[in-house]
């Protein structure tokens, strides 16, 4: 299991498009992926789940990857946050 | 497209508001003349002797004015301008309001091989109708492999590779009370450049379907006349494809479109795999399309709400952490 701390860097927060981007990336790995905000933990492969986090600008999130390619998966998702979801 | 002759125009099976009430009253051998344009011309100027820019390749429509002028010419026995007019290869002359020209006029027309038609309609009405009828006939068209069904009033064109289940999907939709326009081959016409009308390639084959394991079935006989329709505007393009786990399908409502005959139509790519009920997905897509037309765009509205929510969250956070911002 691998955990990474990330911050939402794009102004609009995680709305539908970034959520779809996360799911698309997550689905390219076999590992299970979870995203945590405070006490809420959702499946990183569910669009509705990610939107439900209500992650606005500067929100701190924790990415948790679990599985054979967990390192790569966590890194790829972290990269999305660092790139501000191409916004 | 094969040539469209005056005889074809007389043979058109038009109903109610489209009827042209045409009859041939002279120059029958000329009925094989080809009509090449949907435009019409009022030959008033030509009759008065002015032949520059004469649109001789259009159908010549004689309204009350032209006919009255013709009468004065006939009374004066002055046929020069008429002969000059018929020196051009005119497809046909149409006399409105049941009018007819004099014998001399018909003789000149017959000599040049031009058929004379008459209609009971007023010239304004006739022009409007013939223009509609002819622009339909001369509209750019193409044939596509797919099934056209009307779902909740939305014309849905279902396409996809052979064997992906187009006909089966359409059959289930018909069973659920929707209508079949055409199976397998759909003829599409672009009317006025921004509307795509689809219909069966052939009226005798259109309402039949080929279902693997059943053979050919007749939808009209099996499901009744309420299950069929002759033509329908294509408003949604659905592409069925085998589920490809490496492909990313639309998850949040992207706006895919496709272009047929320069008309842009919303497009959906629907992956097919056992357990996915494609007809219900198509029904929902059709309803969603109607919602969009009414101004309710589910995907966009959802995202706007999310954005609004995120914004208020972020404003609250700013308020809580005011030490470092103010």
């Amino acid at each position: 299991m691998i955990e990474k701390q990330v911050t939402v860097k794009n102004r609009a927060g995680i709305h539908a498009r970034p959520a779809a981007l996360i799911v698309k990336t997550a689905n390219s790995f076999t590992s299970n992926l979870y995203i945590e905000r405070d006490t809420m933990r959702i499946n990183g492969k569910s669009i509705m789940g990610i939107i439900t986090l209500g992650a606005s600008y500067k929100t701190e999130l924790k990415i948790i990857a679990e599985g054979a390619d967990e390192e790569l998966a966590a890194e790829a998702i972290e990269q999305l946050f660092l790139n501000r979801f191409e916004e | 497209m094969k040539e469209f002759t005056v005889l074809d125009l007389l043979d058109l099976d038009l109903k109610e508001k489209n009827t042209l009430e045409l009859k041939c009253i002279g120059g029958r051998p000329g009925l094989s003349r080809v009509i090449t344009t949907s435009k019409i011309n009022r030959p008033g100027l030509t009759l008065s002797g002015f032949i520059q820019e004469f649109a001789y390749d259009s159908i010549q429509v004689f309204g009350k004015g032209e006919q009255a002028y013709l009468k004065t010419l006939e009374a004066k026995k002055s046929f020069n301008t008429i002969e000059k007019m018929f020196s051009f290869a005119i497809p046909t002359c149409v006399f409105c309001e049941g009018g007819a020209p004099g014998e001399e006029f018909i003789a000149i027309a017959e000599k040049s091989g031009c058929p004379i038609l008459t209609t009971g309609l007023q010239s304004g009405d006739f022009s409007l109708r013939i223009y509609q009828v002819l622009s339909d006939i001369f509209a750019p068209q193409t044939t596509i492999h797919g099934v056209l069904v009307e779902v909740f009033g939305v014309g849905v064109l279902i396409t996809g590779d052979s064997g992906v289940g187009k006909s089966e999907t359409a059959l289930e939709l018909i069973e659920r009370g929707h209508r079949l326009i055409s199976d397998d081959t759909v003829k599409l016409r672009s009317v006025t450049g921004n509307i795509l009308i689809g219909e069966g390639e052939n009226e005798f084959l259109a309402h039949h379907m080929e279902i693997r394991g059943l053979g050919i079935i007749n939808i009209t006989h099996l499901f009744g006349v309420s299950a069929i329709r002759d033509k329908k505007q294509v408003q949604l393009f659905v592409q069925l494809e085998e589920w490809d786990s490496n492909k990313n399908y639309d998850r949040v409502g992207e706006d895919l479109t496709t272009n047929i005959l320069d008309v842009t139509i919303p497009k959906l790519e629907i992956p097919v795999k056992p357990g996915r009920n494609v007809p219900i997905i198509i029904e929902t897509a059709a309803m969603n399309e109607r919602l969009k037309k009414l101004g309710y765009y589910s995907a966009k509205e959802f995202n706007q709400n999310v954005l609004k929510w995120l914004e208020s969250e972020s404003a609250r956070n700013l308020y809580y952490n005011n030490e470092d911002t103010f």
Side-chain angles (χ1 to χ4, degrees):
Chain A
M1 193 181 80
I2 188 163
E3 290 187 5
K4 267 184 204 289
Q5 203 70 32
V6 287
T7 314
V8 180
K9 288 191 167 173
N10 65 321
R11 271 275 167 196
I14 302 182
H15 54 102
R17 206 193 55 82
L21 204 60
I22 293 174
V23 170
K24 189 174 142 192
T25 314
N27 271 331
S28 59
F29 299 99
T30 53
S31 301
N32 286 328
L33 197 99
Y34 303 95
I35 301 179
E36 250 181 36
R37 180 190 180 180
D38 307 328
T39 56
M40 198 198 287
R41 175 192 261 228
I42 52 90
N43 187 335
K45 293 185 180 181
S46 143
I47 287 190
M48 284 310 221
I50 294 175
I51 292 172
T52 319
L53 284 175
S56 53
Y57 181 50
K58 283 189 178 169
T59 304
E60 307 248 312
L61 299 173
K62 199 199 283 174
I63 300 168
I64 300 138
E66 218 172 23
D69 49 6
E70 54 185 37
E71 294 254 354
L72 290 171
E75 206 148 294
I77 302 291
E78 186 188 20
Q79 207 55 45
L80 288 179
F81 279 85
L82 293 175
N83 289 342
R84 300 161 192 241
F85 305 104
E86 297 157 20
E87 268 180 10
Chain B
M1 203 188 98
K2 74 177 186 42
E3 289 178 332
F4 185 77
T5 63
V6 182
L7 189 62
D8 290 331
L9 180 67
L10 285 170
D11 273 348
L12 281 180
D13 180 24
L14 301 165
K15 290 174 195 91
E16 292 148 19
K17 64 180 185 2
N18 284 331
T19 172
L20 293 168
E21 299 178 19
L22 282 174
K23 268 202 314 259
C24 182
I25 52 168
R28 277 181 195 281
L31 287 178
S32 59
R33 282 216 166 161
V34 177
I35 301 171
T36 52
T37 164
S38 60
K39 295 189 178 63
I40 58 150
N41 185 47
R42 301 289 288 262
L45 277 175
T46 320
L47 289 174
S48 72
F50 187 80
I51 53 164
Q52 273 178 42
E53 302 279 335
F54 174 41
Y56 61 87
D57 54 349
S58 317
I59 294 174
Q60 308 296 321
V61 177
F62 290 71
K64 269 203 163 152
E66 285 87 354
Q67 291 183 33
Y69 185 65
L70 213 55
K71 285 222 169 65
T72 66
L73 287 182
E74 279 162 356
K76 280 191 286 186
K77 301 271 174 209
S78 126
F79 300 116
N80 292 346
T81 55
I82 300 174
E83 272 166 356
K84 218 189 266 174
M85 182 174 92
F86 280 112
S87 65
F88 294 93
I90 296 168
T92 179
C93 294
V94 178
F95 284 76
C96 295
E97 304 199 38
E103 278 168 20
E104 297 92 340
F105 184 95
I106 295 185
I108 298 169
E110 280 184 345
K111 213 167 72 195
S112 80
C114 171
I116 307 292
L117 311 180
T118 181
T119 173
L121 297 170
Q122 285 192 337
S123 56
D125 264 353
F126 178 77
S127 313
L128 197 70
R129 290 186 190 186
I130 189 121
Y131 181 71
Q132 278 170 353
V133 168
L134 291 180
S135 19
D136 258 17
I137 285 160
F138 293 118
Q141 59 183 49
T142 179
T143 307
I144 227 169
H145 181 63
V147 195
L148 182 58
V149 275
E150 184 206 67
V151 182
F152 294 127
V154 179
V156 183
L157 182 61
I158 305 170
T159 63
D161 291 341
S162 196
V164 80
K166 295 184 293 293
S167 295
E168 286 78 2
T169 304
L171 188 62
E172 165 99 47
L173 285 168
I174 293 162
E175 167 77 40
R176 294 171 64 87
H178 304 295
R179 297 188 173 127
L180 175 74
I181 291 103
S182 177
D183 180 42
D184 207 52
T185 45
V186 183
K187 191 167 81 183
L188 299 169
R189 277 181 295 121
S190 142
V191 181
T192 68
N194 53 8
I195 289 177
L196 205 61
I197 302 285
E199 61 189 325
E201 183 71 57
N202 180 319
E203 57 181 308
F204 304 107
L205 310 177
H207 300 128
H208 291 72
M209 279 183 128
E210 193 248 38
I211 301 285
R212 310 275 143 97
L214 277 185
I216 306 279
I217 55 171
N218 183 329
I219 297 298
T220 324
H221 288 171
L222 284 168
F223 296 95
V225 278
S226 66
I228 56 161
R229 213 190 138 129
D230 284 340
K231 53 183 167 191
K232 174 73 193 167
Q233 185 189 344
V234 179
Q235 289 150 310
L236 185 62
F237 185 94
V238 171
Q239 188 167 349
L240 299 184
E241 45 190 48
E242 300 281 353
W243 186 287
D244 178 357
S245 50
N246 293 319
K247 186 173 170 176
N248 283 298
Y249 295 101
D250 180 15
R251 298 289 296 265
V252 287
E254 300 164 41
D255 286 321
L256 291 178
T257 56
T258 185
N259 238 330
I260 303 173
L261 296 172
D262 281 338
V263 183
T264 309
I265 303 165
K267 175 188 175 182
L268 292 177
E269 283 175 355
I270 298 184
V272 178
K273 79 176 180 184
R276 264 172 81 84
N277 193 333
V278 179
I280 287 179
I281 295 175
I282 292 181
E283 265 189 353
T284 314
M287 288 192 280
N288 204 25
E289 206 53 41
R290 292 194 62 177
L291 266 185
K292 281 186 201 170
K293 290 241 162 64
L294 290 172
Y296 301 102
Y297 203 131
S298 313
K300 274 191 190 146
E301 254 166 57
F302 173 76
N303 200 29
Q304 261 153 20
N305 288 338
V306 171
L307 284 170
K308 217 187 279 173
W309 174 43
L310 292 179
E311 213 168 285
S312 67
E313 279 283 295
S314 132
R316 275 161 58 99
N317 287 341
L318 218 58
Y319 179 72
Y320 286 135
N321 307 326
N322 54 2
E323 313 92 324
D324 52 51
T325 38
F326 294 110

